[in-house]
Structures are given as structure tokens and as C-alpha cells.
Amino acid sequence: MQRWRRDHPGELGFVPTMGYLHDGHLALVRRSRAENPLTVVSIFVNPAQFGPGEDFERYPRDEVRDLALLREAGVDAVYLPSAAEMYPPGYQTYVTVEHLTQRLEGAARPGHFRGVATVVLKLFNAVSPTRAYFGRKDAQQLRVIRRMVRDLDLPVEVVPCEIVREPDGLAMSSRNVYLSPEQRGAAPVVKRSLDAAAAAWAAGERDAETLRRIVRGVIAAEPLAALEYVSLADDETLEELEGRVERPALLSLVVRFGSTRLLDNLELA
């Protein structure tokens, strides 16, 4: 990959993925192609970001389909490292972003963001992108990567891209394939809960706990949905907010449908 990059100088957009591509990924590719003369996509299911008992082994994979989609999308190269190449025997160096990773998904999935930050830095070192494109759906991940780039003085512009949704509002995710037909029918309740809080915000509601309570109430009305957490946090530090919200905030939640965790969020400003 580094040799290819040396042979292809100039501005380059990069879209890191774990494969099993959907239109959310392809929207990132389209944005990169519109803004850069070259676009590279990586496909790597990163074992370092999966904890014990998580879905690493069953995470959906379809490399042949992914490559066909990327060929059709016009990407210039696809980087497909193996786990043995990324983490050879004796590997022991990891990247830790401190405070941002201690809450929300960091609390729910210990070690997750250490794996994310490490693999993203390694991918950046391999690809040497000018710009890297990440979806806003994984809101904490986006903030962790931006902080890593800032703190380590990496010459990469992190470009956040809007959440791509199904027609009924469900945020696109490779893990949606795990949902049964009944669970898939119920899953749009996640977006409806955010919409209810957004409507209250637009009407002038600024009390943090009231906004969280609105989300909890909508989720509780769906029998197949189990709320794991709802957070209203400072948009930059992700510290939980109490009382009146007077600065940009991130409203985020994780809802379980059976064993499938669905994440979604809304930025309030």
C-alpha cells in the first residue's frame, strides 16, 4: 500500500471500512471522489476492537460483493490487509485516547476504542491520506479519531459525513442484517425517539433530563426494544450534561433488539 501511494502522489481521500458495504459506506466514497483526485477504501474487520463475547467471528463479510461495489463506484485502490499483517506475532503497541473513551461506548465496551485508534493510525500510516471520511452515526468514534489526529499532529483532515438512513429512518449499519423481520419492523423506534427529543428541543426544551426522559419514553413503548443507555453529553468532551443545556450537545443512545445493538445520535446546537 505504501509503495502504491508513493507511485500515486497528490491529494487522496480515504474511507476505512470493515466491509459488508451498504449505501452509507458508498456515500462516503462518493464524497471522497467528489473532493479528491484519488480515493482509497480499506476493508479490514479489526479484531482489536472486539471484546470477549462480541461478534467478531460472525461479523458479516462478503469481499467479492464489496469489491464489485467499489469497482462500480470508481475507487482507485482497495487496501485489504490481513490480521496477521496488521498484528504480527509479538505485536504490543497500541494507541489510547484517554478521557473521551471512558464513557458511553467506551464504558460499555472496554478496550474498544484502543483497538479503533490503533487500527486507524496504522491505516493512515499505510495510505497517507489527505482526507479521511467517517460517518456521524458512530459519533464517539468520530470524536476519538479527531482527538487522536489533533493530539498526534497527523497531517490528515477528518471529514464527518451525515448519517445515511433507510426510508423508515433506521440508520444504515452492517449489523442490521442480524435483525429478525419482527425486530427490523420495530427498529425505526430508535430514530423516532430522537425525533421526539428534536421536536422538544425545537420547541424550546433545554432541560437535559427531560430530553433523556423523552427518548426513554418512546423506546419503552416498543416491546422488542431494550434501551441500553441514553446520553445527553457535551458535544466535544462527551461529559454528561445536567440541568439547562446551553452549549452544543450530543444526544446518543444504544438500543438492543435481541443480541443486536443499534447506535444512533442527534447533534443539538
Side-chain angles (χ1 to χ4, degrees):
M1 185 68 241
Q2 290 171 336
R3 189 161 54 245
W4 184 93
R5 180 64 169 117
R6 285 193 296 271
D7 292 340
H8 295 78
E11 293 192 349
L12 182 148
F14 176 46
V15 180
T17 82
M18 292 207 301
Y20 210 72
L21 304 180
H22 51 67
D23 200 55
H25 298 111
L26 298 178
L28 304 181
V29 172
R30 290 191 290 270
R31 174 96 180 257
S32 176
R33 292 197 67 228
E35 297 179 353
N36 304 275
L38 294 170
T39 291
V40 170
V41 175
S42 65
I43 298 174
F44 179 61
V45 183
N46 176 32
Q49 70 190 66
F50 289 79
E54 292 188 344
D55 58 347
F56 174 71
E57 293 298 336
R58 72 184 188 106
Y59 190 85
R61 297 163 169 87
D62 192 339
E63 185 177 301
V64 172
R65 174 180 169 274
D66 289 345
L67 291 175
L69 288 171
L70 294 174
R71 189 176 296 112
E72 183 180 346
V75 305
D76 297 280
V78 181
Y79 181 38
L80 288 156
S82 69
E85 289 167 330
M86 295 296 274
Y87 304 108
Y91 188 90
Q92 55 187 293
T93 303
Y94 293 88
V95 179
T96 301
V97 178
E98 296 286 344
H99 299 294
L100 268 180
T101 64
Q102 293 174 2
R103 47 187 60 86
L104 304 178
E105 287 300 277
R109 304 176 65 189
H112 171 69
F113 287 116
R114 184 182 82 146
V116 169
T118 299
V119 79
V120 170
L121 181 59
K122 288 175 69 69
L123 292 169
F124 284 175
N125 285 337
V127 176
S128 297
T130 312
R131 299 173 189 89
Y133 295 80
F134 294 88
R136 293 185 183 273
K137 184 179 78 70
D138 295 304
Q140 187 174 12
Q141 172 180 279
L142 173 62
R143 285 153 180 78
V144 167
I145 291 167
R146 283 197 304 217
R147 173 52 62 184
M148 178 186 73
V149 165
R150 190 178 309 142
D151 289 353
L152 298 184
D153 307 311
L154 302 179
V156 182
E157 177 188 352
V158 175
V159 182
C161 299
E162 295 307 311
I163 299 172
V164 178
R165 299 184 180 277
E166 302 286 358
D168 60 7
L170 179 65
M172 289 190 177
S173 168
S174 299
R175 288 187 168 95
N176 290 351
V177 70
Y178 297 156
L179 298 170
S180 70
E182 294 77 16
Q183 291 168 340
R184 177 60 187 84
V189 72
V190 179
K191 178 62 161 53
R192 290 202 303 273
S193 73
L194 293 174
D195 288 344
W201 177 270
E205 181 59 66
R206 292 296 183 271
D207 181 70
E209 183 54 29
T210 298
L211 292 165
R212 287 189 287 260
R213 190 181 307 121
I214 290 169
V215 171
R216 286 195 290 264
V218 175
I219 299 298
E222 172 49 64
L224 295 182
L227 182 66
E228 187 171 306
Y229 67 76
V230 57
S231 164
L232 186 64
D234 180 274
D235 187 73
E236 183 173 348
T237 68
L238 299 185
E239 293 181 5
E240 207 65 24
L241 297 174
E242 302 298 340
R244 183 173 176 82
V245 180
E246 296 182 333
R247 56 187 187 272
L250 178 71
L251 179 63
S252 63
L253 74 163
V254 170
V255 181
R256 283 188 178 273
F257 293 84
S259 61
T260 303
R261 301 174 80 246
L262 298 185
L263 293 77
D264 210 336
N265 69 84
L266 174 69
E267 296 179 8
L268 300 173

